[in-house]
């Protein structure tokens, strides 16, 4: 089914007969129209508007050239696959001799008549356009329709140029292209009555710029951040390992700080203990000496006395 | 007319290859070489030519190589190039700097600069019957310059053709009648009467920019190629399309007529080159991959030049379609790539001129 949609193989036989679908045209008329060169059949087609007649070859295949050209005022068309085969491929022994005919080298006067015809036509158009030629008032043509029912009936049509008064006022008034207002009206900007709170003000604070080139406040930029900002990620630098390293370093730093803190606390405790013991000792000594003052003197004197 | 009317496969009446004219051509070539390079002894040259004559049946390759560069010929891309069709002594270029310059063909000196256009000049044509130069531009005007007054202080512009509603990409002069056919981005080919500046006909039918126009004295008198992938052969006596060729599948950027044969060649932007008879029958097709910007035909030895957008170029044998040379232009210092926009062989077929996007004109010759 889909093979018909594919393009044809390059070296296949390029002529393929196309069979018309006979079921559709069972009730349509078949008229044999004698052509100038050979007999061709026509089938009237009521279903489509563009092509009114199908022309058939003698063997019943569709004659594309005649069919399309009859629908388009007998113009020439490239319609068969045959037209896409270069002549040099079709005829390998083709002699490359296609002389160009000028006025000087043509055998008959076909070139001359062609040029003169064209010249006459161009002159006629020129005279019409420049408005100084003789006015052709009327033209009588004979007209025959393509319609099959009215074949053979000829009509004579007279074509007249409708004269126009050049002094008439212009039909169309030229208007200035006024500027239109746009459909949603443009917004009017006003200062708001609401005062900015502290939070709003904080939102507008933009942190100071830190970069490889400008770092006024001397922030430390970690290595992985520096690597990330460079344009091309360098394959030689392993960002993952670097980030691991920096996080490990961070952790170690934290640990060390904690250790130092705990050690300092312990030392302070120890020093406090020692101070307290010293104080107690001193207190004891002071008490002792006070006792000696009150009681010990008696004892001392007693001993002296003894 | 069908191609079978034009050719007969086994016709004894078709004359054999015209050796006399070939000899005349070779003698003129000899004269040309001896007049420019007088140091070379004549005997060597004649020997070379005899050798060439013996090898005429064997497959040949060409060796076109860069001889001279006119660097910064324009201050923009060089978009059009036309060799004087009568005397073969000068050539005309039009550039994106809206200037037209006339150069000496032999020593590449600037002969005249023609101003007048206000946007890029896309096409130039020199009449073979009058001393007139026609130019079409992106400013939507076609102008006619009298070359005999090219250095006068008043300027040499004598006519202006108004009517196009888009930029003009191509034009062609009818070989016998006094009409000029122009086409461009408004998708209509307009036929002008040269003398009275009246737009005689408007050939409407293309759906996109018209890229090249061929005119000839026999039917079809006008052939146009377009960016809508079609070529149209026009019957200007009826002012309608006689045949539409739809066999290209990409936009056609270049189409050229063989000056001595009733054949023409078109190339599209996918690199397909197709040769046609003027009846509209496909004669031959071959491929030169890439976007082809320009074609040129050397009628003396039937070589076909195709210049690409990426700076490559290829030279084919016109009759067989065999590739003879594949090469690349050398961009001027300061530009890393140079696309070939226009090309032309001179009348003797010894020099090739290309106008490129590195603002330079390059002159090629066979070594």
């Amino acid at each position: 089914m889909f093979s018909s949609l594919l393009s044809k193989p390059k070296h296949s036989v390029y002529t393929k007969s196309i069979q018309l679908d006979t079921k559709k045209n069972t009730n349509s008329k078949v008229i044999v129209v004698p052509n100038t060169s050979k007999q061709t059949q026509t089938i009237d087609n009521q279903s489509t508007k563009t092509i009114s007649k199908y022309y058939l070859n003698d063997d019943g295949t569709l004659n594309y050239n005649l069919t399309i050209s009859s629908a388009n005022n007998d113009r020439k068309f490239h319609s068969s696959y045959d037209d896409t085969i270069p002549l040099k491929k079709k005829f390998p022994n083709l002699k490359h001799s296609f002389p160009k005919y000028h006025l000087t080298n043509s055998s008959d006067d076909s070139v001359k008549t062609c040029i003169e015809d064209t010249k006459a036509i161009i002159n006629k158009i020129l005279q019409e356009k420049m408005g100084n030629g003789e006015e052709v008032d009327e033209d009588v043509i004979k007209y025959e329709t393509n319609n099959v029912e009215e074949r053979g009936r000829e009509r004579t049509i007279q074509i007249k140029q409708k004269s126009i008064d050049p002094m008439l006022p212009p039909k169309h008034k030229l208007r200035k292209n006024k500027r239109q207002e746009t459909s949603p009206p443009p917004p009017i900007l006003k200062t708001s009555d609401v005062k900015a709170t502290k939070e709003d003000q904080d939102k507008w604070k933009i942190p100071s710029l830190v970069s490889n080139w400008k770092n006024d406040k001397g922030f430390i930029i970690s290595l992985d951040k520096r690597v990330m900002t460079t344009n091309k990620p360098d394959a030689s630098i392993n960002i993952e390992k670097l980030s691991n390293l920096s996080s490990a370093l961070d952790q170690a730093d934290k640990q060390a700080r904690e250790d130092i803190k705990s050690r300092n606390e312990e030392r302070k405790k120890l020093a406090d203990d020692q101070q307290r013991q010293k104080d107690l000792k001193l207190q004891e000594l002071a008490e002792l000496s006070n006792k000696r003052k009150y009681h010990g003197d008696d004892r001392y004197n007693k001993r002296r006395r003894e | 007319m069908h191609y079978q009317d034009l050719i007969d496969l086994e016709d004894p009446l078709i004359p054999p290859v015209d050796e006399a004219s070939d000899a005349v051509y070779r003698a003129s070539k000899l004269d040309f070489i001896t007049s420019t390079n007088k140091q070379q002894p004549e005997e060597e040259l004649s020997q070379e030519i005899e050798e060439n004559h013996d090898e005429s049946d064997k497959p040949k390759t060409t060796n076109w190589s860069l001889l001279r560069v006119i660097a910064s010929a324009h201050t923009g891309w060089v978009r059009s190039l036309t060799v004087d069709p009568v005397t073969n002594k000068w050539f005309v270029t039009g550039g994106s700097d809206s200037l037209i310059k006339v150069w000496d063909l032999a020593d590449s000196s600037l002969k005249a600069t023609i101003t007048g256009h206000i946007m890029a000049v896309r096409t130039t044509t020199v009449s073979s019957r009058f001393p007139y130069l026609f130019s079409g531009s992106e400013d939507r005007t076609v102008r006619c310059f009298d070359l005999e007054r090219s250095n006068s202080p008043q300027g040499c512009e004598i006519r202006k053709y108004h009517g196009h509603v888009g930029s003009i990409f191509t034009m062609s002069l009818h070989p016998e009648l006094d009409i000029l056919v122009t086409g461009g981005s408004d998708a209509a080919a307009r036929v002008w009467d040269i003398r009275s500046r009246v737009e005689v006909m408007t050939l409407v039918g293309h759906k996109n920019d018209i890229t090249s126009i061929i005119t000839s004295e026999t039917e079809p008198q006008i052939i146009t190629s377009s960016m809508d992938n079609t070529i149209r052969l026009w019957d200007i006596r009826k002012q309608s399309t006689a045949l539409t060729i739809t066999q290209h599948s990409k936009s056609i950027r270049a189409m050229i007529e063989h000056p001595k044969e009733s054949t023409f060649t078109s190339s599209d932007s996918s690199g397909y080159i197709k040769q046609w008879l003027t009846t509209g029958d496909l004669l031959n097709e071959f491929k030169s991959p890439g976007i082809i910007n320009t074609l040129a035909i050397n009628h003396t030895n039937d070589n076909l030049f195709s210049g690409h957008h990426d700076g490559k170029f290829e030279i084919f044998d016109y009759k067989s379609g065999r590739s003879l040379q594949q090469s690349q232009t050398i961009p001027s210092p300061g530009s890393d790539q140079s696309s070939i926009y226009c090309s032309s062989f001179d009348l003797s077929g010894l020099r090739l001129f290309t106008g490129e996007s590195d603002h330079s004109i390059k002159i090629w010759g066979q070594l």
Side-chain angles (χ1 to χ4, degrees), chain B residues 42-56:
Chain B
E42 287 183 23
E43 290 175 9
E44 279 184 24
L45 278 169
S46 61
Q47 277 174 4
E48 276 176 22
I49 284 161
E50 275 169 21
E51 282 168 15
N52 282 338
H53 205 72
D54 292 335
E55 289 171 2
S56 59

Side-chain angles (χ1 to χ4, degrees), chain A residues 75-76 78 83-84 86-88 94 96 98-100 102-103 111 114-115 117-118 121 125-126 129, chain B residues 7 9 176 193 199-200 217 221 236-237 239 241 243-244 247 257 260-262 279-280 282-283 319:
Chain A
R75 266 166 54 190
K76 202 181 149 191
H78 281 181
D83 291 326
T84 65
L87 291 180
K88 293 217 169 157
L94 181 73
H96 192 101
F98 312 103
K100 196 177 184 180
H102 309 286
L103 273 178
V111 179
C114 176
I115 288 169
D117 276 7
T118 319
I121 287 163
I125 295 169
L126 268 180
K129 287 213 169 172
Chain B
I7 47 161
L9 297 178
E176 292 295 332
D193 182 55
E199 188 183 323
V200 182
E217 54 264 74
Q221 296 191 49
I236 59 169
R237 288 186 281 187
Q239 302 180 39
T241 313
L243 175 68
T244 312
Q247 294 187 25
E257 179 195 28
K260 287 181 175 174
E261 291 174 7
S262 58
T279 51
L282 183 61
L283 182 64
K319 286 181 178 170

Side-chain angles (χ1 to χ4, degrees), chain B residues 44-344:
Chain B
E44 279 184 24
L45 278 169
S46 61
Q47 277 174 4
E48 276 176 22
I49 284 161
E50 275 169 21
E51 282 168 15
N52 282 338
H53 205 72
D54 292 335
E55 289 171 2
S56 59
D57 294 329
K58 292 176 187 172
K60 282 188 282 188
T61 54
T62 55
N63 188 18
W64 289 88
S65 50
L66 192 58
L67 294 185
R68 189 182 284 175
V69 179
I70 309 177
S72 350
H74 285 271
T75 50
W77 298 343
V78 182
R79 291 309 298 254
S80 70
L81 197 151
T82 315
V83 177
D84 166 33
V86 184
T87 59
N88 198 28
K89 283 186 176 163
W90 45 270
F91 62 95
V92 181
T93 57
S96 291
D97 54 354
S98 69
L99 292 180
I100 300 164
K101 291 188 177 183
V102 184
W103 306 85
D104 194 275
L105 195 129
D107 61 3
S108 334
S109 60
L110 185 64
K111 286 182 133 181
T113 305
I114 297 168
T115 55
H117 281 293
I118 52 171
M119 282 174 88
V121 179
R122 291 293 295 264
T123 171
T124 49
T125 313
V126 182
S127 169
S128 53
R129 297 186 297 151
F130 313 110
Y132 290 168
L133 164 73
F134 295 88
S135 65
S137 157
E138 284 178 7
D139 62 12
R140 305 172 181 192
T141 59
V142 181
R143 289 171 202 238
C144 171
F145 300 98
D146 187 358
L147 287 170
E148 287 176 347
R149 289 190 273 155
S150 59
N151 283 324
S152 74
Q154 291 87 14
C156 57
E157 187 183 319
I158 50 173
R159 286 187 195 104
K160 212 174 184 179
Y161 303 88
H162 268 291
H164 267 289
V165 289
S167 40
I168 294 152
F169 294 161
T170 178
M171 61 163 67
S172 179
L173 283 163
H174 196 282
E176 292 295 332
L177 300 168
D178 288 345
I179 54 172
L180 170 73
V181 190
T182 59
S185 63
D186 57 356
R190 291 173 205 267
V191 182
W192 309 89
D193 182 55
I194 288 176
R195 223 160 51 113
S196 62
R197 289 166 291 180
V198 172
E199 188 183 323
V200 182
M201 300 170 192
T202 313
L203 306 176
V204 184
H206 278 298
K207 294 195 175 71
N208 210 335
D209 307 1
I210 292 174
T211 50
S212 334
I213 296 176
I214 293 170
T215 50
S216 64
E217 54 264 74
T218 51
E219 288 293 333
Q221 296 191 49
I222 296 174
I223 304 168
T224 56
S225 72
S226 166
M227 299 283 254
D228 63 2
N229 315 348
T230 61
I231 297 168
R232 275 173 191 262
L233 317 187
W234 300 89
D235 185 352
I236 59 169
R237 288 186 281 187
K238 290 180 192 159
Q239 302 180 39
S240 64
T241 313
L243 175 68
T244 312
I245 297 171
T246 55
Q247 294 187 25
H248 277 289
S249 53
K250 280 272 186 174
S251 60
I252 302 157
R253 291 203 182 187
M255 182 175 71
I256 194 168
E257 179 195 28
H258 195 287
K260 287 181 175 174
E261 291 174 7
S262 58
T263 57
F264 63 96
T265 311
S266 60
S267 66
D268 61 22
S269 51
S270 62
Y272 275 106
I273 300 173
K274 301 198 181 198
Q275 291 177 331
W276 311 88
L277 294 179
T278 49
T279 51
D281 296 293
L282 183 61
L283 182 64
N284 202 356
E285 64 178 345
F286 38 95
K287 204 176 178 191
S288 168
I291 301 171
I292 299 172
N293 269 345
T294 174
L295 293 174
I297 289 174
N298 187 351
H299 66 91
T300 54
N301 56 0
D302 274 339
N303 281 355
L304 175 71
F305 168 89
S306 69
H308 286 251
H309 199 71
D310 54 355
K312 280 182 206 144
F313 67 85
E314 196 160 1
I315 286 171
F316 295 94
D317 183 36
Y318 190 82
K319 286 181 178 170
S320 64
R322 203 178 52 242
S323 176
L324 301 178
Q325 186 188 347
Q326 274 180 319
S327 191
Q328 172 112 25
T329 60
I330 304 144
S332 294
S335 48
D336 53 346
Q337 205 191 28
S338 174
S339 32
I340 302 172
Y341 280 127
C342 50
S343 60
S344 181

